[in-house]
Every structure is written in C-alpha cells, then in structure tokens.
Amino acid sequence: MTTAVEINEEASEWRTAQRQFDTAAEIIGLEPELREILREVQREFTCHFPVEMDDGRIEVFTGYRVQHNINRGPAKGGIRYHPDVSLDEVKALAMWMTWKCAVVNIPFGGAKGGVIVDPHRLSVRELERMTRRFASEISILIGPDRDIPAPDLNTDAQVMAWIMDTLSMHAGYSVTASVTGKPIEVGGSLGRVDATGRGVTICALAALEHLGITPHSARVAVQGFGNVGSVSARLLEEAGCTIVAVSDEYSGLLNPLGLPVRRLIEHRRRTGRLEGFEGADAIPSEGPLTADCDVLVPAAIGNQITSRNAGRIRARLIVEGANGPTTPEADHILEKNGVFLVPDILANAGGVTVSYFEWVQDLQAFFWSEHEVNQKLQAIMQRAFREILAVAGERRLPMRMAAYGQAVQRVASATRDRGLYP
Ligand code: NAD
C-alpha cells in the first residue's frame, strides 16, 4: 500500500526533476563533479512585495525567479501565477527548461519564475499592479542578455507587455527583447500563441507515424484546455484526428464520436469554462487521462499521471504538453505497459523555440511572416524528434531518457568547453 508520505514524495516536482537527471547522468556516465553542478540550480531568488488592492488594502505576495544553468546562453523560462507555486516547483521547472533548450538545440539556459496567487480573484488593475511590482523585483536578474521571461500557467501576452513596459521604464527606452510572448504590436512574434500546441502536434504526428497509426484513425484525449491544450486539440483535429475527451480545472467532456474543437473554444471564450457545452457527457477534470483513446495529451499542470492512475491509462501514445505531468513511478508503469511517451522537454519545446525566434527578431528589429515562423519551428521540432528517436533506438532507452541523455550531454559539453569546471 502506498503511504501518504510516499504520495507526497511522488508529488514533489523537484524530486522528480532530480531523479530524472540522476538516471540520465548514470546512463551517459557523467563524471561526479558535473553531476553535482548540474543537479542543483545556479541561482534562486525569493521576493515578498506589497501590492495595493482596489479597496485600498495592501497585500503582500511572494514570488520566485530561478536560473538553473546559463552555460549555453542567457536564461529562458516562463512566469506562472498559481496558488500552488513553490520554490521547489520553480526549481524543477527551471531545470527542465535547461534540458528543453538543449534538446531542441537553441542557445539558452533554463530559468523559471512564479508568484503564489490565484489570479482569477484579482481585478485587471490589481493584476497589472502585482505584475509590475514583481517585474521590478526581478529586474535585477532579467534582461535580453541575461534572462528572458515568457508566459506560462495563467500568464499571457498582456502580462508580458506589462513586464516589458516596467523594465523599459527603468531603462528609459523600449527593451523589447527582455520578454517573449508579447503582443505583436510591441515586438511579439507571429505564431508564438500557437507555438507550444503546434510543437505538441508535430511530435504527436511524428510519433503516430512511427507507431504506424494514421491520424484519421487516432482518437485523442486532452487534459487542460488553456493555451497548450486548446491549440493542440485544434491542430490535431485539423490533421484528421478525432478529439474524444477534453477537460479544464472545473470539469471535462467526453464524446467517443468526436468533439467539435472550434465550437468548444468559442464556448470557453464566451463562458470561461467547458461546462455547459451541449452534445457531450460530463466527466471529471482528470477524466481524459483514463479515457478510451489512442493518444493522450496532458496539457494542464504537473503530477497528473502517477502510480495511482498510470495502470488505467488506455492510450498507446502520450505527448506531454504540460511540464512534469508524469512522475517517475508512473513512467515505470507506462513503460511496462508499452506506452510510447514523448516527454515534455521535447513535446512542449515549440513554445521556447518560437520565443527564441521572437528574441532574435527583436534584437534584429526585423520580423518574419507567420509561414516562415511555422516552417522554421517544424524543421527544428522534426529534427529534434528524429534525433531523440534515433538515440532511443540505438541505446534501447525510453524517449524520456534518450531526450535527457542528449540534453545533459550538450549542457555538460558546454560546461567543460567553457572551463567552468576545473
Ligand atoms: P493555461 O493557463 O493557458 O491553461 C491551463 C489549463 O489547464 C486551463 O484550461 C485550466 O483550466 C486547466 N487545468 C488546471 N488545472 C487542471 C486540472 N487539475 N485538471 C484539468 N485541467 C486543469 O496554461 P498553458 O500555457 O496552456 O500551460 C499548460 C501547461 O503547459 C503547463 O504545465 C505549462 O507549464 C506548460 N507549458 C506551457 C507553454 C506555453 O507556451 N504556454 C510552454 C511549455 C509548457
């Protein structure tokens, strides 16, 4: 029987990140000194900052910015607003960003940030004041050459615009390359909003081809219907797949004959939820995880596929849109059951790849067409998928460990080349 302590342990994303790294380090035979350096974060920053609420009260919020490693380039990583944000979670996410940038071979290190807050309870003005205060706090760390934030859970282009504007007020001129995922009018890139879901779709289609399943015969379940989940569902439907189950944090929907994704997106835009959509059965938020389907896309939050439900997963293919949705315990069960899994550090790297394009375009003040962005994204994602699949085949490894091995190898080489490790 699993004890409460074991379940809590399994739920620690930092522990998951370190265990995944340890396994990869073992597989590639990484020297002990480099293991010590890379299994910790380089910098962690905590701040507590006051924000004036609309009723005149002052509330103090806690935020974090963590840089795991900057040997391959400036630090890069999203900022999330969520009541469950913790330093450990942000550390794990920063480490995953390092590996993600290395898997797709873009010149960034890994970072992440977050504020402990439920943004749905703030007014727009409160959200803006909180964002600007947090941006001021982390301004000592971030900037185009040092650390470049992006959107993540509950943050969007508007939040990025406020952060960029706050940094620009400090600098006295527009520092557009300091943040990615911005609105187009202030230096954003075409294609950025869809980029993560597009990358998930490119990986899913490549994996389906590898498994000999045609998109037209593939039934897909998606957990989470925000940026990543809804775009993945829409693009997979456009590619011929049938979307049979979706969910958000409140509830889920199931229809084995297929859900009309564009109408669902419109319904969610109008009502803020999936609930109440006609023509589908109601299921719980975690329903898509164990739904009868061929492809599962977890695209919500971390720690959703655990030892408690992994054995009940019916999909043959999992493409991780979310960061850290699967625990190492669940990984073992899925592997034993022959589930093919495209890991987060590969599957959801489309977002940071187009963020990289946005940063390049801002630095050059020369902007690309959406077609150009999508083509370049497809080339990078398909190359990375092929490389990882080849490593997995050659070394008889699951895709997660193949991706980790490749990424850790690249970061370790950069560290050795720079002589940071005597
Ligand atoms: P988002 O805020 O736009 O959407 C999150 C969605 O998940 C919402 O629909 C929310 O209702 C749902 N959700 C939350 N808790 C849930 C639960 N317990 N069960 C079911 N649904 C739940 O966020 P996003 O940007 O789409 O990010 C989703 C995931 O993808 C996160 O793990 C994030 O770190 C990861 N990710 C995002 C990007 C990006 O570019 N946005 C890039 C890489 C990875």
Side-chain angles (χ1 to χ4, degrees):
M1 208 178 79
T2 316
T3 67
V5 172
E6 280 165 346
I7 289 169
N8 276 344
E9 273 276 288
E10 185 181 352
S12 157
E13 280 153 316
W14 177 233
R15 176 176 164 274
T16 296
Q18 285 198 313
R19 284 177 62 192
Q20 289 167 340
F21 168 75
D22 290 341
T23 310
E26 200 57 42
I27 287 169
I28 64 168
L30 194 67
E31 55 268 46
E33 294 82 353
L34 265 178
R35 284 189 203 199
E36 263 191 67
I37 295 172
L38 297 180
R39 84 189 298 279
E40 242 321 331
V41 300
Q42 187 171 343
R43 297 174 180 145
E44 53 189 64
F45 175 81
T46 303
C47 54
H48 308 281
F49 55 97
V51 177
E52 187 182 354
M53 309 310 276
D54 290 345
D55 61 7
R57 273 180 316 112
I58 299 293
E59 246 185 69
V60 175
F61 291 87
T62 299
Y64 308 102
R65 187 72 186 169
V66 172
Q67 297 172 354
H68 169 253
N69 187 282
I70 50 172
N71 289 341
R72 297 182 71 256
K76 186 90 190 73
I79 290 178
R80 63 171 52 181
Y81 292 164
H82 198 275
D84 297 338
V85 163
S86 67
L87 182 57
D88 266 6
E89 180 194 55
V90 177
K91 282 170 67 173
L93 290 160
M95 184 192 261
W96 284 326
M97 281 305 295
T98 304
W99 312 138
K100 193 179 300 184
C101 295
V103 164
V104 286
N105 211 1
I106 58 176
F108 288 131
K112 205 77 179 190
V115 177
I116 305 174
V117 60
D118 176 4
H120 305 305
R121 75 172 178 83
L122 302 188
S123 71
V124 175
R125 297 263 63 91
E126 288 170 340
L127 191 67
E128 176 174 354
R129 285 197 293 274
M130 190 200 76
T131 298
R132 288 183 180 278
R133 277 307 298 252
F134 180 56
S136 282
E137 291 296 329
I138 59 173
S139 65
I140 55 174
L141 291 170
I142 64 180
D145 303 321
R146 302 190 289 167
D147 183 349
I148 307 122
D152 193 72
L153 266 181
N154 295 323
T155 54
D156 57 11
Q158 177 61 77
V159 171
M160 294 306 117
W162 289 329
I163 296 177
M164 191 275 276
D165 186 64
T166 306
L167 291 182
S168 300
M169 284 162 69
H170 282 271
Y173 55 91
S174 290
V175 199
T176 53
S178 54
V179 171
T180 60
K182 302 179 295 292
I184 302 297
E185 291 73 15
V186 289
S189 175
L190 293 168
R192 175 61 184 88
V193 174
D194 284 1
T196 306
R198 189 173 292 279
V200 167
T201 304
I202 293 167
C203 287
L205 295 177
L208 282 173
E209 192 183 341
H210 170 69
L211 296 172
I213 305 172
T214 62
H216 284 89
S217 65
R219 295 160 308 146
V220 180
V222 182
Q223 188 205 26
F225 205 69
N227 173 282
V228 181
S230 66
V231 173
S232 303
R234 194 188 87 227
L235 296 178
L236 282 166
E237 188 189 50
E238 282 174 14
C241 303
T242 305
I243 312 301
V244 293
V246 295
S247 70
D248 61 17
E249 66 201 275
Y250 310 106
S251 64
L253 298 169
L254 175 80
N255 185 342
L257 298 176
L259 294 159
V261 178
R262 280 180 184 275
R263 275 180 44 217
L264 267 181
I265 292 173
E266 178 50 28
H267 171 82
R268 194 226 24 204
R269 195 190 58 74
R270 262 189 297 109
T271 65
R273 299 178 177 219
L274 291 169
E275 217 171 327
F277 187 80
E278 306 261 312
D281 295 331
I283 53 171
S285 292
E286 64 277 13
L289 299 175
T290 50
D292 188 11
C293 64
D294 305 293
V295 185
L296 169 62
V297 180
I301 52 174
N303 280 320
Q304 296 301 294
I305 305 176
T306 68
S307 55
R308 278 173 290 172
N309 58 12
R312 287 184 283 121
I313 284 179
R314 296 198 254 177
R316 284 176 62 191
L317 167 64
I318 297 179
V319 187
E320 294 184 329
N323 284 310
T326 312
T327 65
E329 286 79 359
D331 258 340
H332 287 306
I333 299 169
L334 296 171
E335 216 183 304
K336 214 172 64 208
N337 292 348
V339 179
F340 188 87
L341 185 146
V342 187
D344 49 5
I345 57 172
L346 170 61
N348 70 31
V352 73
T353 301
V354 176
S355 273
Y356 164 54
F357 298 162
E358 181 175 333
W359 179 74
V360 168
Q361 292 171 78
D362 286 338
L363 291 176
Q364 299 184 340
F366 181 70
F367 291 87
W368 312 344
S369 71
E370 187 163 359
H371 179 68
E372 225 172 331
V373 169
N374 290 347
Q375 262 190 335
K376 286 183 164 72
L377 171 65
Q378 177 148 343
I380 288 184
M381 294 301 299
Q382 286 180 337
R383 185 195 62 204
F385 184 89
R386 275 196 307 271
E387 281 177 1
I388 302 306
L389 189 66
V391 174
E394 278 158 26
R395 307 197 56 176
R396 296 181 168 278
L397 292 171
M399 288 288 278
R400 188 185 313 282
M401 276 309 130
Y404 258 81
Q406 174 90 321
V408 174
Q409 199 79 270
R410 283 186 175 143
V411 177
S413 294
T415 309
R416 284 191 213 97
D417 288 348
R418 291 179 56 153
L420 297 180
Y421 145 61

